[in-house]
Amino acid sequence: MRLVGPAGEQVGVVRIEDALRLAAESDLDLVEVAPQAKPPVCKLMDFGKYKYEAAVKAREARKNQTNTVLKEIRFRLKIDTHDYETKRGHALRFLAAGDKVKAMIQFRGREQQRPEMGIRLLQKFAEDVSEVGVVESSPRIDGRNMVMVIGPVKNKAEAKAEARRASQRAESKAANEAAKNGGAPERVDTSADKAPMTQSLADLLPDGLRLGSSAAEADKARAEKEKAEKEQAEQAAKAAADKAAAETRRAEEAAKAAAAKPAQAAKPATRTAPAPAKPAEAPKPMAVPKPTAVKPAAPKPAARPKPAAAPKPAGKAPAPGAGQKKPGAAE
């Protein structure tokens, strides 16, 4: 038999006894890998490790195995521009993911008499998605519909691999940035003194405009100060005028009072007789309570006895004069 070493090197044609001895010395298994060859080929390997690696490869192959899906997009012949752009975006996403796209135009009524318009629309659609898809089936009439199939440029496995590589690149970029920052996110320095917060818009203006605004504020403050001083002066003048008017009024009242006093002194005093004192009113006598007359209760008359009932006669008595004849009656 032809013997192959564990690293794939050719040992040569040896007897089966020598191959078994070499496998026992190297603590490996003797595995026949090509029984149909002449002479048969055997290899020294760890058979358990070989089976494990084969299972891992099969699992990876199943994981990467993808099934292409046929996505369908429907149009109308009078589709609007915005709706067409939306459908085109869906088709680009499907083709980028490795799926096929079936574009279908639905005809209604007299639209079936203008198939060339549907062909032009599908050709325009194929040109718009030519970056990620190629036409696999040209437009054809299927009843009232016109159908065209577009296949992806990259199959689904390649699209998944590319997406995986893009995510790995993004992760590595983020890791590099974190390493540059010392393994920790950059912190914001809050130890420096900051200007106090204010609600004035002047703090957000540039320096030139801020100077102009400060000058305007100074002029405004000066005008307000002058106005306040003017109001204070007016109030002081008004108070002085009110005080002078009050003093003049008091002086006039004092002069009038002084002029009225000699006239009262010249007038003789007239005696007035004292008013006679009113006699004290006599106290009113207290009202004597009226005696209440008590009427004697009248005696109730005694109840009269009821007359006894007369006994009824046994027989009916004849009426008086029944047997006598009336005078003048015929005999």
Side-chain angles (χ1 to χ4, degrees), residues 184-195:
E186 187 178 356
R187 296 183 178 181
V188 180
D189 187 12
T190 58
S191 60
D193 296 336
K194 293 184 177 180

Side-chain angles (χ1 to χ4, degrees), residues 69 71-73 85-101 125 128-133 150-156 159-160 163:
V69 182
K71 303 288 185 176
E72 184 175 343
I73 295 178
E85 293 296 330
T86 303
K87 302 283 187 180
R88 187 176 67 88
H90 293 334
L92 289 173
R93 187 174 72 252
F94 295 150
L95 292 171
D99 295 326
K100 293 183 179 182
V101 174
F125 180 73
D128 291 340
V129 299
S130 59
E131 298 179 358
V132 291
I150 301 176
V153 175
K154 299 178 181 178
N155 57 19
K156 206 159 191 176
K160 281 188 176 182

Side-chain angles (χ1 to χ4, degrees), residues 116-134:
E116 64 275 5
M117 297 179 66
I119 294 174
R120 285 200 298 267
L121 181 59
L122 289 179
Q123 287 177 353
K124 178 185 176 184
F125 180 73
E127 291 175 0
D128 291 340
V129 299
S130 59
E131 298 179 358
V132 291
V134 293

Side-chain angles (χ1 to χ4, degrees), residues 1-122:
M1 66 167 56
R2 187 180 299 277
L3 185 63
V4 180
E9 68 275 10
Q10 296 289 336
V11 176
V13 178
V14 296
R15 294 184 304 171
I16 186 170
E17 293 82 3
D18 297 337
L20 290 174
R21 180 176 53 78
L22 292 174
E25 290 177 355
S26 57
D27 196 11
L28 295 174
D29 300 322
L30 182 63
V31 181
E32 189 177 15
V33 294
Q36 303 297 332
K38 291 183 180 180
V41 180
C42 295
K43 185 177 181 181
L44 296 174
M45 66 173 68
D46 188 352
F47 189 65
K49 183 178 179 181
Y50 170 75
K51 289 180 65 177
Y52 172 75
E53 290 178 352
V56 169
K57 288 180 180 179
R59 188 164 55 249
E60 289 292 331
R62 286 195 302 270
K63 185 171 67 175
N64 294 331
Q65 184 179 2
T66 55
N67 296 323
T68 303
V69 182
L70 182 62
K71 303 288 185 176
E72 184 175 343
I73 295 178
R74 296 186 179 184
F75 297 97
R76 287 295 305 279
L77 197 59
K78 300 177 183 178
I79 187 170
D80 193 55
T81 305
H82 178 74
D83 296 337
Y84 175 78
E85 293 296 330
T86 303
K87 302 283 187 180
R88 187 176 67 88
H90 293 334
L92 289 173
R93 187 174 72 252
F94 295 150
L95 292 171
D99 295 326
K100 293 183 179 182
V101 174
K102 178 182 179 181
M104 178 186 297
I105 296 180
Q106 299 174 337
F107 293 96
R108 289 187 180 180
R110 288 183 291 179
E111 293 177 354
Q112 300 179 28
Q113 301 175 6
R114 306 297 299 274
E116 64 275 5
M117 297 179 66
I119 294 174
R120 285 200 298 267
L121 181 59
L122 289 179

